[in-house]
Amino acid sequence: MNREALIAAVKEQMPERRWLHTLGVMETSVMLAERFGGDAEKADLAAILHDYCKYWPVQEQAKIIRENGLPQDLLDFDKELWHSHAGAFIAQSQFGIDDEEVLDAIRYHTSGRENMTLLDKIVCLADYMEPGRDFPGVDNIRELAKTSLEQALIAGFDSTISFLLAKGKRIYPLTVLTRNDLLQQIQS
């Protein structure tokens, strides 16, 4: 499927506001790839698809996770995590995306993971800091992203963890492991 057809398919899956977010993630992913020596084409492709399933019914997302060997522990945590794994599955099964690096960047853009690849970091960070994002600390994340993907991502995960703590929600363990891994990378 060519890029324009893929964009059209994604756009029809979401409300206009989320589409504008996706455009921002696409633009920011390419900019970060160029800044940090990543593959801009892969960053663009992963960004296009990163929220494909975001507005699907949660029952459908859960069904994809349950029936396709995806991490079952996701279902014990906030449903906001589910669309990334469901989306990577759909990107592969429906759109024929077979680049594991692109699929992983989609899969881990919400939680992160230990030993994130450069592409993982780029798409995850772009999702945090695209121009339409407006939350306490986002300007600091953008500033840190001028020189360090890792420091900017730590600030992003700190923001997410603080938000979840303030709401009394459970924190997905992989997010904590990711944050710790990024700290270790900086300290090494």
Side-chain angles (χ1 to χ4, degrees):
M1 181 175 277
N2 70 35
R3 185 175 184 273
E4 290 72 33
L6 193 59
I7 285 172
V10 171
K11 186 176 181 180
E12 71 182 32
Q13 295 296 313
M14 55 187 61
E16 183 66 19
R17 183 165 180 234
R18 182 51 54 164
W19 175 244
L20 293 175
H21 162 75
T22 299
L23 288 173
V25 175
M26 291 161 58
E27 172 189 313
T28 305
S29 289
V30 169
M31 178 267 296
L32 290 171
E34 290 169 351
R35 180 179 295 165
F36 292 101
D39 186 318
E41 271 188 50
K42 287 184 180 188
D44 181 61
L45 179 58
I48 291 168
L49 290 163
H50 85 283
D51 275 350
Y52 184 77
C53 293
K54 178 93 173 169
Y55 289 91
W56 286 22
V58 291
Q59 301 87 346
E60 182 65 23
Q61 293 178 48
K63 181 180 178 187
I64 291 169
I65 291 167
R66 265 195 311 277
E67 295 180 0
N68 295 288
L70 304 180
Q72 299 299 297
D73 67 332
L74 284 168
L75 300 174
D76 296 330
F77 291 88
D78 198 289
K79 66 185 183 318
E80 294 298 318
L81 293 167
W82 302 357
H83 75 280
S84 57
H85 286 265
F89 176 80
I90 295 298
Q92 184 173 33
S93 63
Q94 235 178 53
F95 296 116
I97 306 298
D98 59 3
D99 186 320
E100 271 307 311
E101 192 177 11
V102 170
L103 294 171
D104 280 343
I106 297 167
R107 188 175 291 123
Y108 296 108
H109 82 270
T110 55
S111 65
R113 65 175 172 158
E114 292 178 289
N115 301 308
M116 290 176 83
T117 65
L118 178 59
L119 186 61
D120 291 345
K121 291 174 183 178
I122 286 168
V123 176
C124 184
L125 183 56
D127 190 39
Y128 269 117
M129 63 173 265
E130 60 90 4
R133 290 287 201 196
D134 183 23
F135 59 87
V138 72
D139 289 332
N140 180 52
I141 293 169
R142 291 180 181 125
E143 190 61 33
L144 290 168
K146 291 178 180 176
T147 57
S148 173
L149 287 170
E150 293 76 18
Q151 288 181 335
L153 279 167
I154 289 167
F157 286 120
D158 285 353
S159 174
T160 296
I161 291 167
S162 295
F163 175 81
L164 293 171
L165 288 171
K167 295 287 184 186
K169 292 190 172 198
R170 297 175 69 204
I171 299 167
Y172 191 51
L174 190 54
T175 301
V176 176
L177 292 171
T178 302
R179 182 187 179 279
N180 290 343
D181 185 59
L182 291 165
L183 275 172
Q184 189 171 10
Q185 288 177 36
I186 288 171
Q187 294 167 353
S188 295

